[in-house]
């Protein structure tokens, strides 16, 4: 009704004047959006902390904040990180410099900016509707009317394609700085990263357990030094694994990709046995003395060599993405409920050091801390709360099994981090 009333206000005007008014209003909105975008940019610069001018210091500042580097971290160092040349300030971690207007409010609040964007969007829709009504009310007759009408319409794609993306991007950045940061979103992202990290280690346990099981059954590829395992057998295993990989759901394929990108520390698409062993070393060393579980007391280098040997159909002695798909699919696929329960029960026994039949958040955190620094009790407690909808200071074996199975099935699909593809 308001739109129609707006259009009818031009009833007594010449048609050229109507088009002139609509054209003026349209481009005035474009100018207002440009000014608002500029204000957002200036406001963001005023209240944003400054990163170091040296790009190497900036890299050092954010080192270890990706989930990939969290998985690659071992013995206090990040595997596969590039050097920083002659930059020797790593002894003291760089810090963010205070913002130029630190402690002061911005020109406008994020809420005010949001309302202004909504107002501009509303009037933009109003102008487009008025243009349609004006055309349907009376066809254009002169070239001036056609030119003004076309000029008014030209503002719309300029607004949508140029101004709106920049305005929304800067408004998003502006609303994530300082006190206006959504702590709930930050916490959720942190929990997603910790959940992804936990899923990664569960998958590693499954892979090591697969080698242990096959070794107990006397399969030659799983027994050091693997004599008797031919390339034809490796090719057959690789083909079987590839077929299984293609049947896996997308989230499991992404989980396998995460394993490979973690192993591929120098990002060259080829993983050597020692690179795999370095990633397995913390996991296996955290379970030494637990010879009755699925991990046994396996040497990481023996496990790594066996994994490569299983699918080394070309005799290169290394693991590429293609082979990793097959190995992981063989380890993860076609598991019966009994197999899964055996793995989770063995995992449970590993964590339950005191053998009292239940594990606490503190026991689980202690075990995770052995293989990765950065997991805290509140992180584990929050992950448990998300699943059980209640506080869980202790877990029985059945609850632990339920939680791990749910955690592995609900892993979010994330884009691959670098370009080997999947």
């Amino acid at each position: 009704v308001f739109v129609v009333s707006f259009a009818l206000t031009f009833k007594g005007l010449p048609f050229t004047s109507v088009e002139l008014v609509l054209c003026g209003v349209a481009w005035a909105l474009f100018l207002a959006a440009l000014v608002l975008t500029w204000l957002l940019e200036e406001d963001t610069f005023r209240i944003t902390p400054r990163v170091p001018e040296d790009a190497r210091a900036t890299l050092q500042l954010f080192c270890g904040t990706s989930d990939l580097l969290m998985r690659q971290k071992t013995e206090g160092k990040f595997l596969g990180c590039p050097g920083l040349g002659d930059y020797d300030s790593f002894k003291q971690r760089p810090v963010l410099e205070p913002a130029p207007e630190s402690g002061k409010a911005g020109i406008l609040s994020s809420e005010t900016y949001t309302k202004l964007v909504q107002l501009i969007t509303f009037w933009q829709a109003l102008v487009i509707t008025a243009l349609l009504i004006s055309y349907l009310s009376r066809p254009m007759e002169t070239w001036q009317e056609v030119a003004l009408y076309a000029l008014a319409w030209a503002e719309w794609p300029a607004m949508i394609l140029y101004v709106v993306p920049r305005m929304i991007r800067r408004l998003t950045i502006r609303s994530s700085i300082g006190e206006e940061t959504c702590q709930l979103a930050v916490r959720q992202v942190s929990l997603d990263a910790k959940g992804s990290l936990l899923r990664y280690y569960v998958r590693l346990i499954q892979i090591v357990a697969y080698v242990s099981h096959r070794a107990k059954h006397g399969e030659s590829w799983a027994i050091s030094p693997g004599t008797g395992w031919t390339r034809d057998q490796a090719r057959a295993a690789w083909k079987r694994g590839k077929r299984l990989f293609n049947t896996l759901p997308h989230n499991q394929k992404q989980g396998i990709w995460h394993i490979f990108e973690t192993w591929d520390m120098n990002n060259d698409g080829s993983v050597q046995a020692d690179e795999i062993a370095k990633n397995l070393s913390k996991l296996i060393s955290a379970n030494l003395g637990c010879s009755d579980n699925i991990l046994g007391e396996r040497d990481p280098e023996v496990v790594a060599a066996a994994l490569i040997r299983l699918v080394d159909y070309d005799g290169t002695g290394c693991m590429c993405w293609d082979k990793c798909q097959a190995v992981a699919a063989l380890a993860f696929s076609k598991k019966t409920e009994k197999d899964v329960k055996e793995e989770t029960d063995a995992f449970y026994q590993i964590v339950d050091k005191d053998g009292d039949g239940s594990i606490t958040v503190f026991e689980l955190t202690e075990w995770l801390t052995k293989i990765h620094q950065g997991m805290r009790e509140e992180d584990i407690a929050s992950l448990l709360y998300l699943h059980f909808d209640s506080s869980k200071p202790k877990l029985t074996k059945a609850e632990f099994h339920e939680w791990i199975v749910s955690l592995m099935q609900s892993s979010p699909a994330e884009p691959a981090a670098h370009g080997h593809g999947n």
Side-chain angles (χ1 to χ4, degrees):
V1 174
F2 183 75
V3 172
V4 174
S5 301
F6 175 75
L8 291 177
T9 58
F10 301 123
K11 186 175 181 181
L13 294 175
F15 196 70
T16 304
S17 300
V18 173
E19 301 301 329
L20 181 62
V21 170
L22 289 175
C23 183
V25 172
W27 286 101
L29 287 174
F30 182 83
L31 181 61
L34 279 178
V35 171
L36 186 61
T37 303
W38 175 79
L39 283 174
L40 276 167
E41 184 177 20
E42 291 297 314
D43 210 4
T44 302
F45 283 136
R46 282 162 53 98
I47 63 176
T48 303
R50 296 291 186 259
V51 298
E53 293 184 2
D54 191 327
R56 296 169 298 179
T58 304
L59 288 173
Q60 183 70 18
L61 179 66
F62 292 102
C63 180
T65 57
S66 73
D67 65 339
L68 171 61
L69 287 182
M70 288 172 66
R71 295 193 301 270
Q72 287 185 339
K73 187 176 182 181
T74 180
E75 297 180 0
K77 298 179 180 179
F78 289 99
L79 305 174
C81 294
L84 297 179
D86 58 353
Y87 181 73
D88 57 0
S89 300
F90 61 88
K91 295 179 181 178
Q92 182 176 358
R93 189 177 181 89
V95 295
L96 293 173
E97 299 177 8
E101 302 291 336
S102 179
K104 297 182 181 180
I107 301 172
L108 298 173
S109 67
S110 293
E111 183 179 357
T112 303
Y113 280 121
T114 301
K115 290 180 179 179
L116 289 175
V117 170
Q118 292 173 343
L119 184 62
I120 290 174
T121 304
F122 170 75
W123 277 95
Q124 181 69 48
L126 200 65
V127 168
I128 296 300
T129 306
L131 283 170
L132 294 173
I133 293 176
S134 68
Y135 177 77
L136 296 174
S137 300
R138 177 177 174 274
M140 293 168 285
E141 298 177 350
T142 66
W143 69 268
Q144 292 96 336
E145 293 175 356
V146 174
L148 288 172
Y149 190 76
L151 186 60
W153 271 107
E155 179 271 343
W156 184 52
M159 173 75 86
I160 294 298
L161 299 177
Y162 179 77
V163 179
V164 170
R166 289 166 174 78
M167 187 164 54
I168 293 177
R169 182 168 61 249
R170 289 171 185 173
L171 179 60
T172 302
I173 295 173
R174 172 65 179 82
S175 61
S176 64
I177 301 173
E179 296 180 356
E180 297 188 25
T181 302
C182 179
Q183 296 300 326
L184 182 61
V186 172
R187 182 60 178 163
Q188 185 60 50
V189 170
S190 176
L191 285 179
D192 287 344
K194 298 301 173 65
S196 175
L197 189 64
L198 185 56
R199 282 188 289 271
Y200 167 72
Y201 285 116
V202 173
R203 291 188 180 103
L204 285 190
I205 288 175
Q206 290 177 321
I207 290 175
V208 177
Y210 177 69
V211 177
S212 297
H213 281 151
R214 296 303 94 193
K216 289 179 181 178
H217 284 80
E219 296 191 14
S220 58
W221 67 267
I223 303 173
S224 181
T227 55
W229 188 253
T230 66
R231 288 193 187 180
D232 289 338
Q233 290 174 304
R235 182 177 295 277
W238 169 71
K239 289 181 178 180
R240 187 170 67 255
K242 286 286 291 182
R243 287 194 297 269
L244 290 172
F245 178 83
N246 292 331
T247 64
L248 294 176
H250 181 69
N251 63 337
Q252 288 193 32
K253 291 180 179 179
Q254 283 300 120
I256 294 172
W257 169 254
H258 289 162
I259 291 173
F260 181 74
E261 70 173 351
T262 307
W263 287 352
D264 186 17
M265 293 177 288
N266 56 5
N267 197 22
D268 63 355
S270 179
V271 180
Q272 305 298 322
D274 62 329
E275 291 179 291
I276 299 176
K278 285 179 181 178
N279 279 275
L280 295 177
S281 59
K282 280 256 178 174
L283 176 68
I284 295 179
S285 64
N287 302 287
L288 292 179
C290 302
S291 57
D292 58 335
N293 64 52
I294 56 175
L295 298 183
E297 295 191 14
R298 302 304 302 262
D299 184 342
E301 295 181 359
V302 172
V303 175
L307 291 172
I308 293 177
R309 187 186 306 119
L310 172 61
V311 291
D312 192 24
Y313 61 87
D314 53 4
T316 58
C318 64
M319 180 83 71
C320 62
W321 167 230
D322 202 41
K323 295 177 182 178
C324 184
Q325 293 177 12
V327 167
L330 289 170
F332 301 156
S333 299
K334 293 188 176 181
K335 288 182 180 293
T336 64
E337 179 64 27
K338 180 181 178 181
D339 293 335
V340 175
K341 189 148 190 334
E342 283 181 357
E343 290 179 352
T344 56
D345 286 352
F347 187 9
Y348 186 88
Q349 292 172 7
I350 293 170
V351 180
D352 186 20
K353 292 296 184 181
D354 55 11
D356 63 352
S358 66
I359 60 173
T360 66
V361 171
F362 303 104
E363 285 179 315
L364 186 55
T365 306
E366 180 184 0
W367 181 83
L368 287 169
T369 302
K370 291 180 181 179
I371 57 177
H372 177 80
Q373 298 294 326
M375 295 291 280
R376 301 172 299 176
E377 288 88 353
E378 52 263 38
D379 296 324
I380 301 301
S382 297
L383 289 172
L384 291 172
Y385 185 87
L386 286 175
H387 175 72
F388 292 103
D389 290 326
S390 62
S391 177
K392 279 285 184 182
K394 289 185 177 182
L395 289 178
T396 64
K397 187 177 292 187
E399 289 172 334
F400 183 78
H401 171 77
E402 175 191 338
W403 178 54
I404 292 296
V405 171
S406 174
L407 186 71
M408 300 306 293
Q409 292 177 345
S410 64
S411 62
E414 301 170 0
H418 57 69
H420 302 312
N422 57 10

